[in-house]
Amino acid sequence: MWERGEQAPLSRAEALALGRNGTGNRAAGAGWRHACHVMLYAPLPTGSPPPGYAVLMQLRFDGRFGFPGGLVEPDGESLEAGLHRELREELGPATAGLRLRPHHHRGARVWPAGGAGSGSDAGLVTHFYIRRLAWEELVAIERGGPRAPEHGLEVQGLVRVPLGGGLPAFLRHRFAGDAREQLLGALLALGIRPSPLNEEPAGDPQIQVAGELPSPSPQT
């Protein structure tokens, strides 16, 4: 249930319809940029300690943790094509065969033009994806990260989220946009139960949401 003042989640279709008029054409003066990010995760090998999953995030150039991804080109590039391009740039060659489909989309959030998060004359829509990998795929991405074009520039390195007793300390770091809420909401929705926490983190209770708490700026 959404409380008054909170932003309801947008589906992929709703987000793409922003700025279009009743005929389906883009309305005059309606400017929107789209940014896509993805949580990549994989089950650990048999016999690994609980909760039995690895989740990837990255340390960004600004010292914040976030999910890989970025802005979609405004020249007709699809959301998934833009996200795949960003993954190749940020994570390297191991993502070349990674397929991202509309059904991996889990929600979108709107940052109006001139608002606290858009930082631009055009509004920004941030999309959140979740993609399960095989264990071997995740390890290949980790090993190939240093060969990514953006390694050491936009991306300082990949990290596995510590889903054991280290999660409370990890959550006290700074995160890009609403990446913290995206992470906790995704874990909840996927049924990935971290080891008992010393504190109860506030997570997004609906997987469709790309984040419902205000933050200084979105992920781009």
Side-chain angles (χ1 to χ4, degrees), residues 54 91 105 157:
L91 304 185
H105 186 278

Side-chain angles (χ1 to χ4, degrees), residues 71-151:
L71 287 167
V72 176
E73 296 293 344
D75 59 358
E77 186 178 46
S78 73
L79 298 180
E80 290 75 31
L83 179 54
H84 193 203
R85 172 181 50 76
E86 288 286 341
L87 293 184
R88 293 195 303 272
E89 294 173 1
E90 295 183 357
L91 304 185
T95 63
L98 185 63
R99 294 293 176 260
L100 292 155
R101 307 296 187 193
H103 68 265
H104 295 126
H105 186 278
R106 297 306 176 105
R109 178 179 180 178
V110 172
W111 307 77
S118 71
S120 170
D121 292 335
L124 181 67
V125 185
T126 53
H127 301 261
F128 186 53
Y129 289 72
I130 297 177
R131 178 68 158 81
R132 176 172 172 143
L133 305 174
W135 171 245
E136 294 78 11
E137 291 177 306
L138 185 139
V139 171
I141 288 173
E142 288 181 318
R143 291 176 176 172
R147 300 197 301 275
E150 293 294 341
H151 182 77

Side-chain angles (χ1 to χ4, degrees), residues 18-45:
L18 288 172
R20 295 185 182 276
N21 57 31
T23 65
N25 296 318
R26 188 163 298 280
W32 293 96
R33 295 296 308 273
H34 294 262
C36 299
H37 298 84
V38 61
M39 187 182 95
L40 301 174
Y41 77 104
L44 294 174

Side-chain angles (χ1 to χ4, degrees), residues 185-199:
L187 295 178
L188 179 64
L190 293 170
I192 299 176
R193 308 295 298 179
S195 297
L197 301 176
N198 296 323
E199 59 185 29

